[in-house]
Structure formats: structure tokens, C-alpha cells
Amino acid sequence: MITRKAYAKINLGLDVTGKREDGYHIVRMIMQNVDIYDTLTFEKNDSGMIKLTANKDTIPTDEHNLIYKVCDLLMKKYDIKDGVDVHLEKRIPVAAGMAGGSTDGAAAFYGMKELFDLPITKEEMCELAVKLGADIPYCIMGGTMLSEGIGEVLTALSDMPDCYILVGKPAIDVSTGWVYTELDSKEIESHPDIDGMCDAIKACDLKGICDRLSNVLEPVTKGKYEVIGKIEALMEDNGAIRSIMTGSGPTVFGIYDDEDKLKASYEAVKESGLCPELFMSKPVNPKD
Ligand code: ATP
């Protein structure tokens, strides 16, 4: 049996610089893995089928799941006659801006490669993956990355400096499609300083990173759901250097230079009842 951890991501920066004719948005994003992860297990079976199970019944286990799509694609590409049993232990908040589905899809590439000894490189995985989801190539590479194009142009950055990260998801569901449609209907007022963020990461400058946290999708989601601003204020009032929304939201994270401040903030947010899903976390840079 093969076991893989699939790590969630946060966005230290998220800019949208244009839109392609096929509808994909052109982005410049700084992606960072955090140590909140799903666990996937893979085992061969002799049915020739993909059998996917999950610990939460709200998660699709059919061809709509990215794990299923990746297994199916690889079984066809490599003419695999055996079947595979995959179990997903989901911990990453769903539809939260943390690339939960994409990271599971990335883990499925690695799990299938190991289980069936497939001669596939990371670069080949990324080429296949971008057709299934724009964030999957990043999830295959992982760590601290600048992601450009529609998500397929990746540049590795140095590791983020040590820090503590509080991640909280309020009890609302936000449609990524709605957020981008709203964004398209407005002029973007201010663009994140993505180049400055890359420099701050290179310089291991945590304060510089926090000063540049910025996400063009935040005004859209935060404008509709005031709980996002409330969580950010609570984190900052309790010791976060800065707090901001990740992806299209609604998940918010705060960055701390001190574990006691992280714990104080955790207690304050927990006490408020604003985030049913709340994690004390750290940046991770998984190697394969
Ligand atoms: P992103 O940050 O890439 O926008 P997200 O965190 O907003 O991702 P996901 O957790 O990936 O969103 O879930 C979005 C939808 O994708 C779910 O509602 C679900 O129907 C579908 N989905 C497909 N595969 C998975 C998976 N492995 N885990 C969870 N949801 C999945």
C-alpha cells in the first residue's frame, strides 16, 4: 500500500493581469504550502476499476473528483489493466481557496507513479495536469513558488522564513466562478507587489513579506462577506503581523513571529465562533 500526504496552499500574493480568449485568467501568484494535509492511500485491485472512498460524504468519489480524473488518465495513458483502490482522508477545508482538490490530484500522480512504477517525470506530470486544473502543476512541484501564465509557468523561490500561521475558514461557501466573474466586471484598483514579495522571500524578510501580502480577489469576497474582515481584525488584534484571505476565499490566514501570539490568536478566534475550521500551522516545503 502507498501512502501520500497532500498539502494545502495559501497565497502570499495573488494578482490577475489579464484573461485569455479561452476564458482562463492570467495570474501572478505566490504559492506556499502549509502543514495542513489530506492523506491518500493507494492499493492495487484486480477489478480494472478505480474505487475511490473518502471520510466525508460531501466529497464526490466519482469522475468529478480530481483523484479519479488523474487515476483514469494515467490508466489509459499507460494501458494499466489492474484497478486501484484509493482512500482519501480529507482534512483540508473544502471549497476554501486552499487548492484541496488540486493537491489531491497532484498526490494521485505520485501515488500512481509509485504503485505502478510508471516512467513519468515531474515535468510530464505537470504537462498532463494543467489540462485537469490550473493549480495542479504547482501542487506537483510544491513549496514556495511564483506561479504565472494560467498556473503552468512555475519558478521556485527560496523557502519562506520560519513563522507560525493561523488558518481559519468561516462557515460560508464561496463559488470561485462567482468571484472571478465579479472581478471581471470591475477595474482592479491596486495590484500586488509580486516582484517585491519575491525579493522579500529571497531576503528571508518576514516583515517585508507581511507588508506585501495582497490578493486582488479579496475585495470581491470580503465586500460580500463581512465575516472575513472580522476574522482578519481578530487575528491582528491578537498578535498577527498581518492577516489576509487566500485564493478566492473564504479562508483567512494570519502570520506570526511568535508561538505564544499564535496560540492567543487561536483561542480568540475559536472563542468567537467565527471559524468552525481552525488550524495552527507552519509553512512546509515538501520534497517529492
Ligand atoms: P482552489 O483553491 O483551487 O480554488 P478550493 O479549495 O477552493 O480550490 P476544493 O477544495 O478543491 O476548492 O473543492 C472545490 C470543489 O471541487 C468541491 O466542491 C468538489 O466538488 C470538487 N472536488 C474535486 N475533487 C476534489 C477533492 N479531491 N477534494 C475535494 N473536493 C474535490
Short mmCIF file of all heavy atoms in Angstrom, two decimals, residues 113-161:
data_model
loop_
_atom_site.label_atom_id
_atom_site.label_comp_id
_atom_site.label_asym_id
_atom_site.label_seq_id
_atom_site.Cartn_x
_atom_site.Cartn_y
_atom_site.Cartn_z
N LYS A 113 2.30 6.73 -9.79
CA LYS A 113 3.67 6.51 -10.30
C LYS A 113 4.37 5.42 -9.48
O LYS A 113 4.96 4.50 -10.01
CB LYS A 113 4.47 7.82 -10.24
CG LYS A 113 5.95 7.68 -10.63
CD LYS A 113 6.67 9.01 -10.45
CE LYS A 113 8.18 8.85 -10.47
NZ LYS A 113 8.76 8.68 -11.79
N GLU A 114 4.21 5.55 -8.14
CA GLU A 114 4.90 4.59 -7.25
C GLU A 114 4.24 3.21 -7.31
O GLU A 114 4.92 2.19 -7.40
CB GLU A 114 4.87 5.16 -5.82
CG GLU A 114 6.00 4.64 -4.97
CD GLU A 114 5.98 5.28 -3.58
OE1 GLU A 114 5.59 6.45 -3.44
OE2 GLU A 114 6.36 4.55 -2.63
N LEU A 115 2.91 3.20 -7.30
CA LEU A 115 2.18 1.91 -7.26
C LEU A 115 2.43 1.09 -8.51
O LEU A 115 2.61 -0.13 -8.44
CB LEU A 115 0.68 2.20 -7.10
CG LEU A 115 -0.22 1.02 -6.79
CD1 LEU A 115 0.10 0.43 -5.42
CD2 LEU A 115 -1.70 1.44 -6.81
N PHE A 116 2.44 1.74 -9.67
CA PHE A 116 2.58 1.01 -10.94
C PHE A 116 3.96 1.22 -11.59
O PHE A 116 4.15 0.85 -12.74
CB PHE A 116 1.47 1.43 -11.91
CG PHE A 116 0.10 1.00 -11.46
CD1 PHE A 116 -0.80 1.92 -10.94
CD2 PHE A 116 -0.29 -0.33 -11.53
CE1 PHE A 116 -2.07 1.54 -10.50
CE2 PHE A 116 -1.55 -0.73 -11.11
CZ PHE A 116 -2.44 0.20 -10.59
N ASP A 117 4.87 1.84 -10.83
CA ASP A 117 6.23 2.02 -11.31
C ASP A 117 6.24 2.71 -12.69
O ASP A 117 6.89 2.23 -13.64
CB ASP A 117 6.93 0.65 -11.37
CG ASP A 117 8.44 0.80 -11.34
OD1 ASP A 117 8.92 1.90 -10.96
OD2 ASP A 117 9.14 -0.16 -11.73
N LEU A 118 5.53 3.82 -12.80
CA LEU A 118 5.36 4.48 -14.10
C LEU A 118 6.58 5.34 -14.43
O LEU A 118 7.10 6.05 -13.57
CB LEU A 118 4.10 5.38 -14.08
CG LEU A 118 2.79 4.69 -13.72
CD1 LEU A 118 1.65 5.72 -13.70
CD2 LEU A 118 2.47 3.58 -14.71
N PRO A 119 7.01 5.31 -15.70
CA PRO A 119 8.19 6.10 -16.10
C PRO A 119 7.82 7.55 -16.41
O PRO A 119 8.03 8.03 -17.52
CB PRO A 119 8.66 5.37 -17.37
CG PRO A 119 7.40 4.84 -17.97
CD PRO A 119 6.47 4.53 -16.82
N ILE A 120 7.24 8.24 -15.45
CA ILE A 120 6.76 9.61 -15.71
C ILE A 120 7.57 10.60 -14.88
O ILE A 120 7.82 10.35 -13.68
CB ILE A 120 5.23 9.70 -15.44
CG1 ILE A 120 4.69 11.08 -15.84
CG2 ILE A 120 4.88 9.38 -13.99
CD1 ILE A 120 3.17 11.17 -15.85
N THR A 121 7.99 11.69 -15.50
CA THR A 121 8.77 12.71 -14.78
C THR A 121 7.80 13.76 -14.22
O THR A 121 6.64 13.85 -14.64
CB THR A 121 9.76 13.42 -15.71
OG1 THR A 121 9.00 14.11 -16.72
CG2 THR A 121 10.72 12.44 -16.36
N LYS A 122 8.32 14.60 -13.29
CA LYS A 122 7.50 15.69 -12.73
C LYS A 122 7.04 16.62 -13.84
O LYS A 122 5.92 17.13 -13.81
CB LYS A 122 8.36 16.52 -11.78
CG LYS A 122 8.45 16.00 -10.39
CD LYS A 122 9.10 17.08 -9.54
CE LYS A 122 9.51 16.55 -8.21
NZ LYS A 122 10.03 17.59 -7.33
N GLU A 123 7.94 16.88 -14.82
CA GLU A 123 7.61 17.80 -15.92
C GLU A 123 6.45 17.23 -16.74
O GLU A 123 5.54 17.96 -17.13
CB GLU A 123 8.84 18.05 -16.81
CG GLU A 123 9.94 18.88 -16.16
CD GLU A 123 10.65 18.19 -14.99
OE1 GLU A 123 10.74 16.92 -14.99
OE2 GLU A 123 11.10 18.89 -14.07
N GLU A 124 6.49 15.91 -17.00
CA GLU A 124 5.39 15.28 -17.76
C GLU A 124 4.09 15.32 -16.95
O GLU A 124 3.01 15.55 -17.50
CB GLU A 124 5.76 13.84 -18.11
CG GLU A 124 6.80 13.75 -19.21
CD GLU A 124 7.42 12.35 -19.36
OE1 GLU A 124 7.37 11.55 -18.39
OE2 GLU A 124 7.95 12.07 -20.43
N MET A 125 4.23 15.10 -15.63
CA MET A 125 3.02 15.18 -14.78
C MET A 125 2.39 16.57 -14.92
O MET A 125 1.18 16.70 -15.08
CB MET A 125 3.38 14.98 -13.30
CG MET A 125 3.78 13.60 -12.90
SD MET A 125 4.05 13.63 -11.09
CE MET A 125 5.00 12.17 -10.86
N CYS A 126 3.24 17.62 -14.86
CA CYS A 126 2.73 18.99 -14.91
C CYS A 126 2.03 19.28 -16.24
O CYS A 126 0.98 19.92 -16.27
CB CYS A 126 3.85 20.00 -14.67
SG CYS A 126 4.43 20.02 -12.98
N GLU A 127 2.61 18.77 -17.34
CA GLU A 127 2.00 19.00 -18.66
C GLU A 127 0.62 18.37 -18.74
O GLU A 127 -0.31 18.95 -19.28
CB GLU A 127 2.87 18.37 -19.75
CG GLU A 127 3.90 19.33 -20.31
CD GLU A 127 4.88 18.63 -21.23
OE1 GLU A 127 4.44 17.80 -22.05
OE2 GLU A 127 6.08 18.91 -21.10
N LEU A 128 0.49 17.16 -18.21
CA LEU A 128 -0.82 16.48 -18.22
C LEU A 128 -1.78 17.17 -17.25
O LEU A 128 -2.97 17.34 -17.52
CB LEU A 128 -0.66 15.01 -17.79
CG LEU A 128 0.12 14.08 -18.72
CD1 LEU A 128 0.35 12.74 -18.04
CD2 LEU A 128 -0.65 13.87 -20.03
N ALA A 129 -1.23 17.61 -16.11
CA ALA A 129 -2.06 18.12 -15.01
C ALA A 129 -2.78 19.41 -15.34
O ALA A 129 -3.93 19.61 -14.94
CB ALA A 129 -1.19 18.31 -13.77
N VAL A 130 -2.10 20.30 -16.08
CA VAL A 130 -2.69 21.63 -16.31
C VAL A 130 -4.00 21.52 -17.08
O VAL A 130 -4.88 22.37 -16.95
CB VAL A 130 -1.67 22.58 -16.98
CG1 VAL A 130 -1.44 22.23 -18.43
CG2 VAL A 130 -2.10 24.04 -16.82
N LYS A 131 -4.16 20.42 -17.83
CA LYS A 131 -5.43 20.23 -18.57
C LYS A 131 -6.57 19.88 -17.61
O LYS A 131 -7.75 20.04 -17.93
CB LYS A 131 -5.27 19.12 -19.61
CG LYS A 131 -4.30 19.53 -20.71
CD LYS A 131 -4.01 18.38 -21.66
CE LYS A 131 -2.80 18.72 -22.51
NZ LYS A 131 -1.93 17.57 -22.75
N LEU A 132 -6.22 19.37 -16.42
CA LEU A 132 -7.26 18.99 -15.45
C LEU A 132 -7.55 20.11 -14.45
O LEU A 132 -8.64 20.20 -13.90
CB LEU A 132 -6.83 17.74 -14.67
CG LEU A 132 -6.58 16.47 -15.48
CD1 LEU A 132 -6.11 15.34 -14.57
CD2 LEU A 132 -7.85 16.05 -16.22
N GLY A 133 -6.55 20.96 -14.20
CA GLY A 133 -6.74 22.05 -13.23
C GLY A 133 -5.50 22.91 -13.16
O GLY A 133 -4.38 22.38 -13.06
N ALA A 134 -5.69 24.24 -13.22
CA ALA A 134 -4.56 25.17 -13.35
C ALA A 134 -3.64 25.16 -12.13
O ALA A 134 -2.46 25.51 -12.24
CB ALA A 134 -5.08 26.58 -13.60
N ASP A 135 -4.14 24.77 -10.94
CA ASP A 135 -3.30 24.79 -9.74
C ASP A 135 -2.57 23.46 -9.51
O ASP A 135 -1.73 23.36 -8.61
CB ASP A 135 -4.14 25.08 -8.48
CG ASP A 135 -4.43 26.57 -8.33
OD1 ASP A 135 -3.77 27.38 -9.03
OD2 ASP A 135 -5.30 26.92 -7.51
N ILE A 136 -2.87 22.42 -10.31
CA ILE A 136 -2.26 21.11 -10.03
C ILE A 136 -0.74 21.12 -10.31
O ILE A 136 0.01 20.55 -9.52
CB ILE A 136 -2.95 19.94 -10.77
CG1 ILE A 136 -4.46 20.02 -10.60
CG2 ILE A 136 -2.45 18.59 -10.23
CD1 ILE A 136 -5.23 18.91 -11.31
N PRO A 137 -0.25 21.78 -11.40
CA PRO A 137 1.20 21.80 -11.58
C PRO A 137 1.93 22.35 -10.35
O PRO A 137 2.93 21.76 -9.91
CB PRO A 137 1.40 22.71 -12.80
CG PRO A 137 0.13 22.53 -13.58
CD PRO A 137 -0.96 22.39 -12.55
N TYR A 138 1.42 23.44 -9.77
CA TYR A 138 2.07 23.93 -8.53
C TYR A 138 2.05 22.85 -7.45
O TYR A 138 3.06 22.62 -6.77
CB TYR A 138 1.40 25.21 -7.99
CG TYR A 138 1.78 25.40 -6.53
CD1 TYR A 138 3.08 25.76 -6.19
CD2 TYR A 138 0.88 25.09 -5.51
CE1 TYR A 138 3.47 25.84 -4.86
CE2 TYR A 138 1.27 25.16 -4.18
CZ TYR A 138 2.57 25.54 -3.86
OH TYR A 138 2.95 25.59 -2.55
N CYS A 139 0.92 22.20 -7.29
CA CYS A 139 0.82 21.19 -6.21
C CYS A 139 1.78 20.03 -6.45
O CYS A 139 2.26 19.40 -5.50
CB CYS A 139 -0.62 20.70 -6.07
SG CYS A 139 -1.76 21.99 -5.53
N ILE A 140 2.08 19.74 -7.72
CA ILE A 140 3.07 18.69 -8.03
C ILE A 140 4.46 19.14 -7.59
O ILE A 140 5.22 18.38 -6.99
CB ILE A 140 3.04 18.36 -9.55
CG1 ILE A 140 1.74 17.60 -9.88
CG2 ILE A 140 4.28 17.56 -9.97
CD1 ILE A 140 1.46 17.44 -11.35
N MET A 141 4.79 20.40 -7.85
CA MET A 141 6.13 20.91 -7.51
C MET A 141 6.22 21.27 -6.02
O MET A 141 7.19 20.93 -5.36
CB MET A 141 6.48 22.15 -8.35
CG MET A 141 6.40 21.93 -9.86
SD MET A 141 7.30 20.48 -10.46
CE MET A 141 8.98 21.04 -10.32
N GLY A 142 5.23 21.97 -5.50
CA GLY A 142 5.13 22.28 -4.07
C GLY A 142 6.14 23.31 -3.57
O GLY A 142 6.96 23.82 -4.33
N GLY A 143 6.03 23.66 -2.29
CA GLY A 143 6.96 24.58 -1.65
C GLY A 143 6.58 26.03 -1.85
O GLY A 143 5.40 26.39 -1.79
N THR A 144 7.60 26.87 -2.05
CA THR A 144 7.38 28.31 -2.25
C THR A 144 7.62 28.61 -3.73
O THR A 144 8.73 28.41 -4.23
CB THR A 144 8.38 29.13 -1.40
OG1 THR A 144 8.41 28.58 -0.07
CG2 THR A 144 7.98 30.59 -1.34
N MET A 145 6.59 29.04 -4.43
CA MET A 145 6.70 29.17 -5.90
C MET A 145 6.00 30.43 -6.39
O MET A 145 4.94 30.82 -5.86
CB MET A 145 5.96 28.00 -6.58
CG MET A 145 6.65 26.68 -6.49
SD MET A 145 7.66 26.38 -7.94
CE MET A 145 8.45 24.89 -7.40
N LEU A 146 6.57 31.00 -7.46
CA LEU A 146 5.87 32.01 -8.24
C LEU A 146 5.15 31.25 -9.36
O LEU A 146 5.77 30.47 -10.07
CB LEU A 146 6.89 33.01 -8.84
CG LEU A 146 6.36 33.98 -9.88
CD1 LEU A 146 5.31 34.93 -9.28
CD2 LEU A 146 7.52 34.80 -10.48
N SER A 147 3.84 31.47 -9.47
CA SER A 147 3.03 30.77 -10.47
C SER A 147 2.48 31.80 -11.44
O SER A 147 1.81 32.75 -11.03
CB SER A 147 1.90 30.03 -9.74
OG SER A 147 0.91 29.63 -10.65
N GLU A 148 2.80 31.62 -12.73
CA GLU A 148 2.36 32.59 -13.74
C GLU A 148 1.66 31.86 -14.90
O GLU A 148 1.49 30.64 -14.86
CB GLU A 148 3.56 33.38 -14.25
CG GLU A 148 4.23 34.21 -13.16
CD GLU A 148 5.51 34.88 -13.63
OE1 GLU A 148 6.52 34.18 -13.82
OE2 GLU A 148 5.50 36.11 -13.79
N GLY A 149 1.30 32.65 -15.94
CA GLY A 149 0.52 32.09 -17.03
C GLY A 149 -0.87 31.81 -16.49
O GLY A 149 -1.46 32.63 -15.78
N ILE A 150 -1.38 30.58 -16.74
CA ILE A 150 -2.65 30.22 -16.09
C ILE A 150 -2.36 29.35 -14.86
O ILE A 150 -3.27 28.79 -14.24
CB ILE A 150 -3.63 29.50 -17.06
CG1 ILE A 150 -3.04 28.17 -17.55
CG2 ILE A 150 -4.01 30.42 -18.21
CD1 ILE A 150 -4.08 27.24 -18.16
N GLY A 151 -1.07 29.23 -14.53
CA GLY A 151 -0.67 28.42 -13.38
C GLY A 151 0.39 27.39 -13.77
O GLY A 151 0.88 26.65 -12.93
N GLU A 152 0.73 27.39 -15.07
CA GLU A 152 1.65 26.35 -15.56
C GLU A 152 3.10 26.84 -15.64
O GLU A 152 4.01 26.04 -15.81
CB GLU A 152 1.16 25.81 -16.92
CG GLU A 152 1.56 26.61 -18.16
CD GLU A 152 0.85 27.95 -18.33
OE1 GLU A 152 0.31 28.51 -17.35
OE2 GLU A 152 0.88 28.49 -19.45
N VAL A 153 3.32 28.15 -15.50
CA VAL A 153 4.69 28.68 -15.56
C VAL A 153 5.16 28.87 -14.11
O VAL A 153 4.72 29.79 -13.42
CB VAL A 153 4.74 30.02 -16.33
CG1 VAL A 153 6.18 30.51 -16.45
CG2 VAL A 153 4.10 29.87 -17.71
N LEU A 154 6.04 27.97 -13.67
CA LEU A 154 6.40 27.95 -12.25
C LEU A 154 7.87 28.28 -12.05
O LEU A 154 8.73 27.77 -12.77
CB LEU A 154 6.12 26.55 -11.68
CG LEU A 154 4.65 26.16 -11.65
CD1 LEU A 154 4.50 24.66 -11.38
CD2 LEU A 154 3.90 26.95 -10.59
N THR A 155 8.14 29.14 -11.09
CA THR A 155 9.52 29.48 -10.73
C THR A 155 9.70 29.22 -9.24
O THR A 155 8.96 29.79 -8.42
CB THR A 155 9.80 30.98 -11.02
OG1 THR A 155 9.39 31.27 -12.36
CG2 THR A 155 11.27 31.32 -10.85
N ALA A 156 10.66 28.38 -8.91
CA ALA A 156 10.89 28.07 -7.50
C ALA A 156 11.53 29.27 -6.80
O ALA A 156 12.42 29.92 -7.35
CB ALA A 156 11.81 26.86 -7.38
N LEU A 157 11.05 29.60 -5.62
CA LEU A 157 11.63 30.67 -4.80
C LEU A 157 12.31 30.01 -3.60
O LEU A 157 12.08 28.83 -3.33
CB LEU A 157 10.52 31.62 -4.32
CG LEU A 157 9.65 32.24 -5.43
CD1 LEU A 157 8.50 33.03 -4.82
CD2 LEU A 157 10.48 33.15 -6.33
N SER A 158 13.12 30.80 -2.88
CA SER A 158 13.72 30.18 -1.69
C SER A 158 12.63 29.93 -0.65
O SER A 158 11.54 30.50 -0.72
CB SER A 158 14.85 31.06 -1.14
OG SER A 158 14.51 32.41 -1.23
N ASP A 159 12.94 29.06 0.31
CA ASP A 159 11.94 28.71 1.33
C ASP A 159 11.51 29.95 2.10
O ASP A 159 12.32 30.83 2.39
CB ASP A 159 12.51 27.69 2.32
CG ASP A 159 12.73 26.33 1.68
OD1 ASP A 159 12.40 26.16 0.49
OD2 ASP A 159 13.24 25.43 2.38
N MET A 160 10.23 29.98 2.46
CA MET A 160 9.71 31.08 3.28
C MET A 160 10.40 31.02 4.65
O MET A 160 10.64 29.92 5.17
CB MET A 160 8.21 30.87 3.45
CG MET A 160 7.51 32.00 4.13
SD MET A 160 5.75 31.64 4.35
CE MET A 160 5.29 33.13 5.22
N PRO A 161 10.71 32.19 5.27
CA PRO A 161 11.32 32.13 6.60
C PRO A 161 10.39 31.45 7.62
O PRO A 161 9.17 31.46 7.44
CB PRO A 161 11.55 33.60 6.96
CG PRO A 161 10.83 34.42 5.96
CD PRO A 161 10.57 33.56 4.77
#
